[in-house]
Amino acid sequence: MANTTQSDSVRKLQRTLYRAAKADPTRRFHALYDKIYRRDVLEGAWEQVRRNRGAGGIDGVTIQAVEQYGVTRLLDELEQDLRQGTLRFQPAKRVYIPKPGTNEQRPLAIPTVRDRIVQAATKIVLEPIFEADFLPCSYGFRPGRSTHDALQVLIDEAWGGRRWVVETDVASCFEEIPHSGLERCLEARISDQSTLKLLRAMLRVGVMEAGTVERRVGGTPQGGVISPLLANVYLHRVDEAWEREGTGVLARYADDLVVLCTSREEAEAALALLRRIMRDLGLELKDSKTRIVHLEEGGDGLDFLGFHHRWVRARLQRTVTFLARWPSSKAMKRARARLRELTDTREAWRSISDVIAAINRFLRGWMGYFRYGNSAKAFREIWRYAVRRVSRLIARQHSRTLRWGRALARCEIVTPTFGLADPVGVVVPPRPNKQRRRKS
């Protein structure tokens, strides 16, 4: 009951801030800092950080270590440091993860658990204020909005005749956002100097790599709890400029963008405008991912938010053409890589029931995302690949042939205990003009 009461009080605070910001688009909030170290806000922030898990920062302190240290004790310390203005952020830890489907590495900056809690508390307080300003064309990292809402825009607009699509993303967006411009965006809504000082400290704390701390004049490095919100605050200027000057329909998910137009000329004008807007903001479009695609039968498709989108003809009603989508080649490649990892020969010591349980957890999550598309064929391919991988693992465990493993796998897979997640009947084909959530 106590946790429910605390979450209710946080939601009430957020609703109050949202309504105040919505009622007066020019209002600058001057009394926010004391709300960041409110106990219910800090406890809500801790719950967010705990749920997201994640590795420790440069101090090596993990979520488990905090729980052993004492959550109440840590929150008491953070509350006191914030109240007295003695909080000091530590540099984030630089790590690199592979970009799916490429040979590139994506840089992440992992703050300490303590700093993540403070970032989450700050986000709880600031998010409703900026949510009141954000426009309907923005979908990424926003409460009540999802990738599928952005994907529905493509279905609706393509069905309505906008079949020339500008496909692009912002080059190194999280690393290149200039602090000076971002701070001006924050100051447009916040006049509380203590809160602004806290935000500047978050931005300028730097990143540690190979024992050296690098401090830059730009960037909200990926890995921080508050980074997606800060990126949206800055990229809101793109949405505003597009609303004033743009041609075509913009759908932006964080730094991934598509613009749907009615002609090549309109698409070329839209791309030129996007380049100018980004240049004015100190950003650039990524040339390797920027192109204009014409959605037509037999033509090229485009990849957006994990799906490949292509204009096709219906198999049964041959007079009907429509925009179909299914998992992109990169998404399929990532799925196969994950299945190989789960069925690697190094996992041969595990029982087959444990391996299949792990596979099912992955398949249900993967299919849960891609089921909203024309994904039946892709699902069958991935399911068959999983069967082959399980067969190989069974054969390895018993030092038998692959043929023997396949035969046993079929027996195992059809039983309720060891059955792989069934892809049959889970697909929900998208439909044009389906009601999607809109910003109130």
mmCIF file of all heavy atoms in Angstrom, residues 383-408:
data_model
loop_
_atom_site.group_PDB
_atom_site.id
_atom_site.type_symbol
_atom_site.label_atom_id
_atom_site.label_comp_id
_atom_site.label_asym_id
_atom_site.label_seq_id
_atom_site.Cartn_x
_atom_site.Cartn_y
_atom_site.Cartn_z
ATOM 1 N N TRP A 383 11.456 -19.608 -36.557
ATOM 2 C CA TRP A 383 11.070 -20.790 -35.780
ATOM 3 C C TRP A 383 11.824 -22.010 -36.286
ATOM 4 O O TRP A 383 12.346 -22.803 -35.503
ATOM 5 C CB TRP A 383 9.565 -20.996 -35.870
ATOM 6 C CG TRP A 383 9.043 -22.044 -34.921
ATOM 7 C CD1 TRP A 383 8.717 -21.860 -33.599
ATOM 8 C CD2 TRP A 383 8.805 -23.424 -35.196
ATOM 9 N NE1 TRP A 383 8.282 -23.041 -33.046
ATOM 10 C CE2 TRP A 383 8.335 -24.022 -34.020
ATOM 11 C CE3 TRP A 383 8.944 -24.206 -36.342
ATOM 12 C CZ2 TRP A 383 7.990 -25.364 -33.943
ATOM 13 C CZ3 TRP A 383 8.611 -25.568 -36.263
ATOM 14 C CH2 TRP A 383 8.145 -26.115 -35.079
ATOM 15 N N ARG A 384 11.891 -22.166 -37.620
ATOM 16 C CA ARG A 384 12.617 -23.316 -38.182
ATOM 17 C C ARG A 384 14.106 -23.229 -37.851
ATOM 18 O O ARG A 384 14.752 -24.265 -37.598
ATOM 19 C CB ARG A 384 12.412 -23.365 -39.695
ATOM 20 C CG ARG A 384 11.008 -23.779 -40.114
ATOM 21 C CD ARG A 384 10.814 -23.627 -41.604
ATOM 22 N NE ARG A 384 9.440 -23.908 -41.986
ATOM 23 C CZ ARG A 384 8.804 -23.305 -42.982
ATOM 24 N NH1 ARG A 384 9.432 -22.354 -43.680
ATOM 25 N NH2 ARG A 384 7.561 -23.623 -43.283
ATOM 26 N N TYR A 385 14.632 -22.032 -37.866
ATOM 27 C CA TYR A 385 16.043 -21.866 -37.499
ATOM 28 C C TYR A 385 16.262 -22.279 -36.047
ATOM 29 O O TYR A 385 17.264 -22.937 -35.727
ATOM 30 C CB TYR A 385 16.469 -20.417 -37.714
ATOM 31 C CG TYR A 385 17.943 -20.182 -37.507
ATOM 32 C CD1 TYR A 385 18.865 -20.539 -38.485
ATOM 33 C CD2 TYR A 385 18.414 -19.614 -36.322
ATOM 34 C CE1 TYR A 385 20.226 -20.330 -38.290
ATOM 35 C CE2 TYR A 385 19.768 -19.402 -36.121
ATOM 36 C CZ TYR A 385 20.667 -19.766 -37.111
ATOM 37 O OH TYR A 385 22.011 -19.573 -36.911
ATOM 38 N N ALA A 386 15.319 -21.910 -35.170
ATOM 39 C CA ALA A 386 15.428 -22.311 -33.765
ATOM 40 C C ALA A 386 15.387 -23.833 -33.637
ATOM 41 O O ALA A 386 16.138 -24.418 -32.841
ATOM 42 C CB ALA A 386 14.303 -21.671 -32.959
ATOM 43 N N VAL A 387 14.518 -24.493 -34.423
ATOM 44 C CA VAL A 387 14.446 -25.962 -34.383
ATOM 45 C C VAL A 387 15.786 -26.566 -34.798
ATOM 46 O O VAL A 387 16.288 -27.499 -34.156
ATOM 47 C CB VAL A 387 13.311 -26.464 -35.294
ATOM 48 C CG1 VAL A 387 13.370 -27.997 -35.425
ATOM 49 C CG2 VAL A 387 11.960 -26.042 -34.748
ATOM 50 N N ARG A 388 16.383 -26.027 -35.859
ATOM 51 C CA ARG A 388 17.673 -26.559 -36.312
ATOM 52 C C ARG A 388 18.744 -26.376 -35.247
ATOM 53 O O ARG A 388 19.566 -27.262 -35.008
ATOM 54 C CB ARG A 388 18.098 -25.871 -37.614
ATOM 55 C CG ARG A 388 17.251 -26.238 -38.809
ATOM 56 C CD ARG A 388 17.947 -25.888 -40.120
ATOM 57 N NE ARG A 388 18.192 -24.468 -40.263
ATOM 58 C CZ ARG A 388 17.331 -23.603 -40.790
ATOM 59 N NH1 ARG A 388 16.136 -24.032 -41.197
ATOM 60 N NH2 ARG A 388 17.626 -22.322 -40.910
ATOM 61 N N ARG A 389 18.749 -25.227 -34.603
ATOM 62 C CA ARG A 389 19.756 -24.978 -33.575
ATOM 63 C C ARG A 389 19.568 -25.898 -32.369
ATOM 64 O O ARG A 389 20.530 -26.402 -31.795
ATOM 65 C CB ARG A 389 19.706 -23.508 -33.137
ATOM 66 C CG ARG A 389 20.102 -22.510 -34.192
ATOM 67 C CD ARG A 389 21.537 -22.686 -34.654
ATOM 68 N NE ARG A 389 22.489 -22.615 -33.539
ATOM 69 C CZ ARG A 389 23.801 -22.709 -33.682
ATOM 70 N NH1 ARG A 389 24.316 -22.905 -34.900
ATOM 71 N NH2 ARG A 389 24.607 -22.633 -32.644
ATOM 72 N N VAL A 390 18.316 -26.123 -31.981
ATOM 73 C CA VAL A 390 18.054 -27.043 -30.869
ATOM 74 C C VAL A 390 18.482 -28.454 -31.249
ATOM 75 O O VAL A 390 19.056 -29.198 -30.431
ATOM 76 C CB VAL A 390 16.564 -26.998 -30.476
ATOM 77 C CG1 VAL A 390 16.225 -28.119 -29.494
ATOM 78 C CG2 VAL A 390 16.219 -25.648 -29.859
ATOM 79 N N SER A 391 18.223 -28.838 -32.511
ATOM 80 C CA SER A 391 18.627 -30.172 -32.971
ATOM 81 C C SER A 391 20.137 -30.357 -32.854
ATOM 82 O O SER A 391 20.623 -31.408 -32.405
ATOM 83 C CB SER A 391 18.191 -30.367 -34.423
ATOM 84 O OG SER A 391 16.793 -30.233 -34.558
ATOM 85 N N ARG A 392 20.887 -29.364 -33.277
ATOM 86 C CA ARG A 392 22.344 -29.438 -33.195
ATOM 87 C C ARG A 392 22.801 -29.561 -31.748
ATOM 88 O O ARG A 392 23.728 -30.310 -31.434
ATOM 89 C CB ARG A 392 22.976 -28.193 -33.828
ATOM 90 C CG ARG A 392 22.815 -28.113 -35.345
ATOM 91 C CD ARG A 392 23.315 -26.777 -35.868
ATOM 92 N NE ARG A 392 24.731 -26.589 -35.602
ATOM 93 C CZ ARG A 392 25.702 -26.973 -36.421
ATOM 94 N NH1 ARG A 392 25.392 -27.563 -37.578
ATOM 95 N NH2 ARG A 392 26.968 -26.770 -36.106
ATOM 96 N N LEU A 393 22.150 -28.817 -30.866
ATOM 97 C CA LEU A 393 22.556 -28.856 -29.463
ATOM 98 C C LEU A 393 22.258 -30.212 -28.843
ATOM 99 O O LEU A 393 23.076 -30.761 -28.090
ATOM 100 C CB LEU A 393 21.839 -27.746 -28.683
ATOM 101 C CG LEU A 393 22.306 -27.558 -27.235
ATOM 102 C CD1 LEU A 393 23.770 -27.136 -27.186
ATOM 103 C CD2 LEU A 393 21.435 -26.529 -26.527
ATOM 104 N N ILE A 394 21.088 -30.778 -29.174
ATOM 105 C CA ILE A 394 20.734 -32.102 -28.649
ATOM 106 C C ILE A 394 21.744 -33.146 -29.138
ATOM 107 O O ILE A 394 22.208 -33.996 -28.368
ATOM 108 C CB ILE A 394 19.300 -32.479 -29.066
ATOM 109 C CG1 ILE A 394 18.295 -31.611 -28.317
ATOM 110 C CG2 ILE A 394 19.030 -33.951 -28.793
ATOM 111 C CD1 ILE A 394 16.854 -31.828 -28.753
ATOM 112 N N ALA A 395 22.074 -33.071 -30.432
ATOM 113 C CA ALA A 395 23.043 -34.023 -30.974
ATOM 114 C C ALA A 395 24.389 -33.880 -30.271
ATOM 115 O O ALA A 395 25.059 -34.880 -29.954
ATOM 116 C CB ALA A 395 23.193 -33.802 -32.475
ATOM 117 N N ARG A 396 24.783 -32.661 -30.002
ATOM 118 C CA ARG A 396 26.058 -32.414 -29.315
ATOM 119 C C ARG A 396 26.016 -32.973 -27.898
ATOM 120 O O ARG A 396 26.994 -33.581 -27.427
ATOM 121 C CB ARG A 396 26.321 -30.904 -29.281
ATOM 122 C CG ARG A 396 27.585 -30.499 -28.562
ATOM 123 C CD ARG A 396 28.810 -30.768 -29.385
ATOM 124 N NE ARG A 396 30.021 -30.339 -28.719
ATOM 125 C CZ ARG A 396 31.083 -29.869 -29.346
ATOM 126 N NH1 ARG A 396 31.074 -29.742 -30.660
ATOM 127 N NH2 ARG A 396 32.165 -29.521 -28.686
ATOM 128 N N GLN A 397 24.901 -32.758 -27.209
ATOM 129 C CA GLN A 397 24.799 -33.239 -25.828
ATOM 130 C C GLN A 397 24.943 -34.748 -25.734
ATOM 131 O O GLN A 397 25.503 -35.265 -24.765
ATOM 132 C CB GLN A 397 23.453 -32.811 -25.236
ATOM 133 C CG GLN A 397 23.364 -31.340 -24.870
ATOM 134 C CD GLN A 397 22.008 -30.976 -24.303
ATOM 135 O OE1 GLN A 397 20.994 -31.598 -24.629
ATOM 136 N NE2 GLN A 397 21.974 -29.968 -23.447
ATOM 137 N N HIS A 398 24.416 -35.460 -26.752
ATOM 138 C CA HIS A 398 24.398 -36.921 -26.705
ATOM 139 C C HIS A 398 25.463 -37.555 -27.603
ATOM 140 O O HIS A 398 25.478 -38.787 -27.758
ATOM 141 C CB HIS A 398 23.014 -37.432 -27.115
ATOM 142 C CG HIS A 398 21.920 -37.037 -26.167
ATOM 143 N ND1 HIS A 398 21.586 -37.787 -25.066
ATOM 144 C CD2 HIS A 398 21.113 -35.941 -26.140
ATOM 145 C CE1 HIS A 398 20.592 -37.190 -24.408
ATOM 146 N NE2 HIS A 398 20.288 -36.072 -25.045
ATOM 147 N N SER A 399 26.329 -36.692 -28.175
ATOM 148 C CA SER A 399 27.387 -37.186 -29.058
ATOM 149 C C SER A 399 26.827 -38.065 -30.168
ATOM 150 O O SER A 399 27.357 -39.147 -30.481
ATOM 151 C CB SER A 399 28.439 -37.970 -28.245
ATOM 152 O OG SER A 399 29.017 -37.161 -27.258
ATOM 153 N N ARG A 400 25.733 -37.598 -30.752
ATOM 154 C CA ARG A 400 25.090 -38.319 -31.842
ATOM 155 C C ARG A 400 25.070 -37.457 -33.094
ATOM 156 O O ARG A 400 25.532 -36.312 -33.094
ATOM 157 C CB ARG A 400 23.655 -38.710 -31.440
ATOM 158 C CG ARG A 400 23.540 -39.538 -30.166
ATOM 159 C CD ARG A 400 24.128 -40.946 -30.345
ATOM 160 N NE ARG A 400 23.308 -41.753 -31.226
ATOM 161 C CZ ARG A 400 22.313 -42.545 -30.793
ATOM 162 N NH1 ARG A 400 22.027 -42.604 -29.490
ATOM 163 N NH2 ARG A 400 21.612 -43.266 -31.642
ATOM 164 N N THR A 401 24.523 -38.016 -34.168
ATOM 165 C CA THR A 401 24.484 -37.305 -35.450
ATOM 166 C C THR A 401 23.411 -36.219 -35.422
ATOM 167 O O THR A 401 22.475 -36.253 -34.620
ATOM 168 C CB THR A 401 24.173 -38.278 -36.594
ATOM 169 O OG1 THR A 401 22.846 -38.805 -36.405
ATOM 170 C CG2 THR A 401 25.196 -39.404 -36.644
ATOM 171 N N LEU A 402 23.558 -35.291 -36.375
ATOM 172 C CA LEU A 402 22.575 -34.213 -36.492
ATOM 173 C C LEU A 402 21.207 -34.777 -36.850
ATOM 174 O O LEU A 402 20.171 -34.282 -36.375
ATOM 175 C CB LEU A 402 23.031 -33.204 -37.541
ATOM 176 C CG LEU A 402 22.120 -31.998 -37.783
ATOM 177 C CD1 LEU A 402 21.901 -31.210 -36.498
ATOM 178 C CD2 LEU A 402 22.712 -31.091 -38.861
ATOM 179 N N ARG A 403 21.171 -35.809 -37.673
ATOM 180 C CA ARG A 403 19.880 -36.428 -38.035
ATOM 181 C C ARG A 403 19.180 -36.968 -36.806
ATOM 182 O O ARG A 403 17.959 -36.800 -36.650
ATOM 183 C CB ARG A 403 20.144 -37.552 -39.050
ATOM 184 C CG ARG A 403 18.876 -38.222 -39.562
ATOM 185 C CD ARG A 403 19.225 -39.261 -40.612
ATOM 186 N NE ARG A 403 18.027 -39.915 -41.111
ATOM 187 C CZ ARG A 403 18.039 -40.871 -42.024
ATOM 188 N NH1 ARG A 403 19.185 -41.276 -42.571
ATOM 189 N NH2 ARG A 403 16.911 -41.442 -42.418
ATOM 190 N N TRP A 404 19.933 -37.595 -35.918
ATOM 191 C CA TRP A 404 19.352 -38.117 -34.677
ATOM 192 C C TRP A 404 18.830 -36.963 -33.821
ATOM 193 O O TRP A 404 17.760 -37.034 -33.225
ATOM 194 C CB TRP A 404 20.423 -38.910 -33.921
ATOM 195 C CG TRP A 404 19.932 -39.567 -32.664
ATOM 196 C CD1 TRP A 404 19.412 -40.816 -32.538
ATOM 197 C CD2 TRP A 404 19.936 -38.996 -31.355
ATOM 198 N NE1 TRP A 404 19.074 -41.073 -31.233
ATOM 199 C CE2 TRP A 404 19.390 -39.965 -30.470
ATOM 200 C CE3 TRP A 404 20.344 -37.774 -30.828
ATOM 201 C CZ2 TRP A 404 19.241 -39.748 -29.106
ATOM 202 C CZ3 TRP A 404 20.190 -37.549 -29.474
ATOM 203 C CH2 TRP A 404 19.654 -38.520 -28.629
ATOM 204 N N GLY A 405 19.619 -35.882 -33.772
ATOM 205 C CA GLY A 405 19.191 -34.723 -32.999
ATOM 206 C C GLY A 405 17.918 -34.111 -33.538
ATOM 207 O O GLY A 405 17.041 -33.697 -32.774
ATOM 208 N N ARG A 406 17.780 -34.076 -34.878
ATOM 209 C CA ARG A 406 16.556 -33.525 -35.461
ATOM 210 C C ARG A 406 15.344 -34.371 -35.094
ATOM 211 O O ARG A 406 14.268 -33.857 -34.781
ATOM 212 C CB ARG A 406 16.699 -33.459 -36.982
ATOM 213 C CG ARG A 406 17.611 -32.346 -37.472
ATOM 214 C CD ARG A 406 17.815 -32.447 -38.970
ATOM 215 N NE ARG A 406 18.694 -31.392 -39.454
ATOM 216 C CZ ARG A 406 19.323 -31.425 -40.612
ATOM 217 N NH1 ARG A 406 19.186 -32.478 -41.412
ATOM 218 N NH2 ARG A 406 20.096 -30.425 -40.975
ATOM 219 N N ALA A 407 15.515 -35.689 -35.147
ATOM 220 C CA ALA A 407 14.399 -36.581 -34.821
ATOM 221 C C ALA A 407 13.966 -36.397 -33.369
ATOM 222 O O ALA A 407 12.771 -36.317 -33.065
ATOM 223 C CB ALA A 407 14.812 -38.033 -35.081
ATOM 224 N N LEU A 408 14.938 -36.315 -32.462
ATOM 225 C CA LEU A 408 14.600 -36.140 -31.053
ATOM 226 C C LEU A 408 14.014 -34.756 -30.808
ATOM 227 O O LEU A 408 13.086 -34.589 -30.005
ATOM 228 C CB LEU A 408 15.834 -36.365 -30.183
ATOM 229 C CG LEU A 408 15.591 -36.312 -28.665
ATOM 230 C CD1 LEU A 408 14.573 -37.380 -28.255
ATOM 231 C CD2 LEU A 408 16.891 -36.505 -27.897
#
